[in-house]
Amino acid sequence: MMRIILIFFVFLFLSCKTEKKEISKFQKIIIDGSLVDNDTIKLLSKYPELKLFNSEKENSKTRTAYVLETANYYDSGLLRTIHFEDYKCKAEYKQDTLNIWLNNNNGYFGNGVLVKVFNGQFLIKDIDPKTLKGEIKFINSKPFYQKLVLNKDIFQKNDSIYGFIDYKTDVDSLVKKNFRGYFKTSIN
């Protein structure tokens, strides 16, 4: 009987440790109400939204994101760098989680991140560009820095959201990704 109780507590302890590792991936959101007045956010309203493919349905009249991604990778022993800045922002509520999509998906190829916001915390997931039409997959990356600033912490559908993201991760042993910029959109 004593062995069973001891085994039970060992499993309980191990399960708590595993759960703690999952929670440690979440980071606290920084709230900055003055983000609405940021110069880059204001400039977004002066430019039309990007059109990534001809039959694309327009969700916004003005630009929703200015995010610069720099990916460094090794090719035949040489360090190469690629820059992407053709990102759009879309935000939606699903159950009790706010999903902020920052990507450049054209229906066949996509690159970017999904930011999941819940209870004052956030988690960033990297979108896998190697997908079939209409498919969304994620890459198991290893973030080493992430910061999310939003204009407030409580949102409802149809609210405007303004934000800043700074995210650095190792996608794999050969690719490092820096993802940084501003975004604004309304929540669906």
Side-chain angles (χ1 to χ4, degrees):
M1 181 68 168
M2 188 59 110
R3 280 187 178 174
I4 294 172
I5 294 172
L6 182 62
I7 291 171
F8 173 76
F9 282 112
V10 168
F11 280 122
L12 183 64
F13 176 74
L14 290 175
S15 68
C16 289
K17 277 190 130 335
T18 304
E19 188 176 329
K20 201 170 197 170
K21 285 182 185 178
E22 286 298 312
I23 292 172
S24 69
K25 292 180 182 179
F26 283 87
Q27 298 289 318
K28 191 146 182 69
I29 296 168
I30 299 169
I31 306 302
D32 181 359
S34 68
L35 199 56
V36 176
D37 298 321
N38 178 280
D39 290 341
T40 303
I41 296 278
K42 287 181 179 179
L43 278 173
L44 290 174
S45 297
K46 295 183 180 187
Y47 293 96
E49 181 64 293
L50 299 174
K51 193 165 186 178
L52 301 176
F53 56 99
N54 291 335
S55 62
E56 182 176 14
K57 181 183 166 194
E58 192 175 83
N59 291 329
S60 174
K61 298 279 185 207
T62 61
R63 185 107 186 240
T64 55
Y66 181 72
V67 175
L68 178 62
E69 178 185 340
T70 304
N72 297 312
Y73 66 98
Y74 286 96
D75 180 28
S76 302
L78 297 173
L79 180 64
R80 310 252 184 208
T81 302
I82 299 175
H83 299 283
F84 299 97
E85 58 182 53
D86 56 346
Y87 288 97
K88 296 171 137 187
C89 181
K90 181 174 84 171
E92 61 189 2
Y93 260 118
K94 284 212 171 174
Q95 297 167 351
D96 57 358
T97 303
L98 175 63
N99 292 321
I100 303 169
W101 294 89
L102 293 163
N103 67 17
N104 57 4
N105 188 329
N106 64 12
Y108 295 96
F109 170 87
N111 191 29
V113 298
L114 167 62
V115 182
K116 296 180 100 32
V117 178
F118 172 76
N119 201 22
Q121 297 182 329
F122 71 97
L123 173 70
I124 300 174
K125 297 175 89 174
D126 287 283
I127 298 170
D128 187 345
K130 302 173 195 164
T131 59
L132 301 173
K133 182 178 180 186
E135 184 179 43
I136 297 174
K137 288 184 181 178
F138 298 99
I139 300 170
N140 289 326
S141 58
K142 297 176 184 128
F144 54 88
Y145 180 79
Q146 53 189 12
K147 176 181 177 181
L148 180 67
V149 181
L150 297 176
N151 60 310
K152 57 185 180 177
D153 60 349
I154 298 173
F155 295 97
Q156 297 176 2
K157 286 189 178 197
N158 299 320
D159 278 357
S160 293
I161 183 171
Y162 301 88
F164 170 77
I165 187 170
D166 190 0
Y167 175 63
K168 295 174 177 71
T169 188
D170 289 333
V171 175
D172 58 32
S173 63
L174 298 176
V175 179
K176 293 188 181 307
K177 174 178 173 178
N178 294 320
F179 193 86
R180 180 184 171 101
Y182 292 88
F183 57 91
K184 71 173 185 69
T185 192
S186 41
I187 300 170
N188 295 326

